[in-house]
Amino acid sequence: MSELNLTDDQLDCLQELINIAMGQASDQLARYLDTFVYLKVPNIESVDAKDLMSSLSEQQNTLAVVSQGFFGHEGIRGEALLVYKEEDSGRIADLLGYEPDELSQDEQLIDISSILTTTFLNVFARQIDNQMSYNAPKLLPQVQSNLSEHVQHMPFTWDLALKVNINYQVTDYSFNCNMILLIPEKAITKIKLVLDRILLDFS
Amino acid sequence: MGNSETCAATDNAQVLTVNEHVIKQINEQVANQLNTGVLVIDHAFTIVICNRFLQVHTDKNIDDIIGENIFIAFPELPERWLARKLNAALQLNTPSFCSWEQRHHLFELPHTRPITTGSEFMAQNCTFLPIETDENGMHVCILIEDVTDVCHYQTQLQKTLDDLALMSRIDGLTQIYNRKHWQESLKQEYAKARRYDKDLSLIMLDLDYFKLLNDNYGHQCGDMVLIEVSALIDSLLRIEDIFGRYGGEEFAIIVPEAQLHGAMELAQRICKTIASTPLTYNGQELKVTISLGVAQLSDKESNYEALITLADKALYAAKHNGRNQAFSLTA
């Protein structure tokens, strides 16, 4: 398991790539929403399976989790989970510019999640010379009890989870969610190679 | 056979030039054989490509809808919502999705199994893929997958799960709540009453001389009496009262937000109604009465079990006093 963990340098480099990806994603988002999007520097954390499980089952007042699979070349693939808390989800409709009653809260959550995940991962993939395809996003049913169960019963075994805390401020709406990227071993090895290459270019 | 092999080997260049055309032909035929709708529109939402899937499932002619605005060709589409979705794909250069679980269908296409499903239209998963072309800029490819079967089985599964959930709460004989569910409800009502400082009363009741009834008339008669008595009691309760079968011939009613005298009134009404409603089995009239014990939650009980014990004591007292009556106790 330990050779899967990222070194400090690799983690720094990854944090930088994610900063850039998040920045570009929020820029695109701002253009699309035609409003000012302020983004705090996302905080990333790499967690192993056991720790993720316990932190997920501890997480209180989780309102919803939207899950979306992604896959690129050379075994880079995984699943993105967007985790929303109750207090952060109230004004997504306003944020997306929908009319009241135009669509259900479920659909709003799925829409914003898909936009966040795909814009972010598209930019991220480009930086590591890859290109992503996506599965349709899915809202997990009855999240309260099932989140850790879902993570345990993924259709693939994942070995590393990257937890990216995203904090968006869109004009007067503040909006907060956690993006958790679950990544299998083969993809981690590949990402580490790319990170090492980038590190070498800068040393 | 041997002839064609030499031909392919000697004229490689010609094979390659043919290939592009052949590949285009193959692509077109594959697209037309796909059991998925493929619809490509440009940035102005004008239809550029449409495969046979949509022609097969609508009575539209493909040639008529090529060059037409998608919202004119398919007036059933929710224009404002879909335009946003398409714009997201165009502007962000990211795919966008629409699942049958949120929207059963976008395009009003009949499906091939009209008898077994509830909806008259095909359930669809739609994907909106941005496509960049050299000359004409961004396009969106709309993929329309037929998921009527998935929708159908998922709906049946959900119905089965709902039925199972109901069955796990219901007593098979009397169709009122079973002991397990009733007890969980009491636990919750107890917590609510404590948290919000609300009144809570409990009625435990038992059929008088039920064993004699079974011995004299048989168990089928006993079952009939249990069913009739449960239905009768159920008809006298408020919607918020929680009525369950506690054991063989023992029943229990949770009476939320009621003080002792209110619960006692209800218990007496139930007692009188049962005693005055004649039940017949095989033409014979049966005399059925019940005894009831009533208790109200006070400061003294430290858990819901203590409330059951108290109501049980009251029930015992009602039996001891001669049956066919309600008796109340306070801690």
Side-chain angles (χ1 to χ4, degrees), chain B residues 47-312:
Chain B
I47 297 172
V48 178
I49 293 175
C50 176
N51 73 344
R52 241 171 60 86
F53 177 89
L54 282 166
Q55 184 176 345
V56 171
H57 288 92
T58 59
D59 44 16
K60 295 182 202 323
N61 190 331
I62 291 183
D63 294 333
D64 293 343
I65 60 170
I66 299 283
E68 202 164 24
N69 182 286
I70 189 174
F71 295 110
I72 293 166
F74 298 95
E76 70 268 27
L77 296 174
E79 182 164 356
R80 210 187 105 87
W81 173 86
L82 185 58
R84 273 195 75 84
K85 204 94 173 161
L86 295 169
N87 276 325
L90 286 167
Q91 282 185 36
L92 298 170
N93 199 11
T94 55
S96 187
F97 302 88
C98 176
S99 157
W100 68 271
E101 285 173 285
Q102 278 74 48
R103 273 171 208 263
H104 180 268
H105 61 270
L106 281 183
F107 296 84
E108 287 182 358
L109 311 174
H111 54 68
T112 45
R113 35 186 309 167
I115 297 156
T116 44
T117 62
S119 169
E120 98 184 79
F121 296 115
M122 173 199 293
Q124 295 151 23
N125 276 347
C126 294
T127 308
F128 310 94
L129 294 172
I131 291 178
E132 211 165 351
T133 58
D134 290 340
E135 283 168 32
N136 295 339
M138 291 299 291
H139 290 67
V140 178
C141 172
I142 305 174
L143 299 177
I144 306 149
E145 274 176 273
D146 179 357
V147 287
T148 307
D149 279 357
V150 177
C151 171
H152 175 62
Y153 292 126
Q154 186 71 34
T155 311
Q156 282 200 326
L157 177 65
Q158 194 53 50
K159 194 186 163 297
T160 308
L161 287 175
D162 290 348
D163 287 352
L164 277 176
L166 188 68
M167 273 166 64
S168 74
R169 294 198 300 264
I170 297 292
D171 173 61
L173 182 69
T174 58
Q175 298 299 308
I176 62 171
Y177 288 130
N178 60 23
R179 162 85 177 258
K180 183 171 160 286
H181 179 76
W182 181 86
Q183 199 151 332
E184 274 165 17
S185 303
L186 179 61
K187 197 172 158 184
Q188 277 176 18
E189 289 300 329
Y190 173 84
K192 255 195 267 179
R194 284 295 185 226
R195 181 164 175 190
Y196 301 111
D197 201 19
K198 298 271 190 196
D199 293 322
L200 177 66
S201 291
L202 187 62
I203 302 173
M204 302 287 289
L205 62 102
D206 192 280
L207 272 75
D208 296 331
Y209 302 115
F210 186 69
K211 197 179 170 306
L212 277 180
L213 201 75
N214 269 332
D215 291 348
N216 294 341
Y217 300 94
H219 283 93
Q220 277 183 326
C221 172
D223 286 351
M224 185 276 288
V225 169
L226 288 172
I227 293 167
E228 292 295 326
V229 167
S230 312
L232 209 49
I233 296 175
D234 204 37
S235 70
L236 297 172
L237 300 178
R238 304 171 303 168
I239 189 100
E240 58 268 38
D241 299 334
I242 302 163
F243 180 35
R245 187 173 176 196
Y246 195 75
E249 71 269 27
E250 209 174 340
F251 297 87
I253 309 163
I254 305 166
V255 197
E257 299 199 30
Q259 293 182 342
L260 193 63
H261 64 88
M264 192 61 186
E265 256 175 46
L266 173 63
Q268 275 161 347
R269 196 160 63 241
I270 292 170
C271 186
K272 278 193 196 118
T273 307
I274 298 292
S276 62
T277 307
L279 294 178
T280 51
Y281 182 74
N282 284 345
Q284 285 174 291
E285 194 164 306
L286 309 169
K287 178 95 185 113
V288 176
T289 62
I290 58 171
S291 303
L292 307 93
V294 186
Q296 186 192 347
L297 188 67
S298 71
D299 299 338
K300 299 196 180 72
E301 294 80 23
S302 56
N303 50 38
Y304 74 90
E305 289 94 338
L307 188 60
I308 296 181
T309 309
L310 193 62
D312 243 350

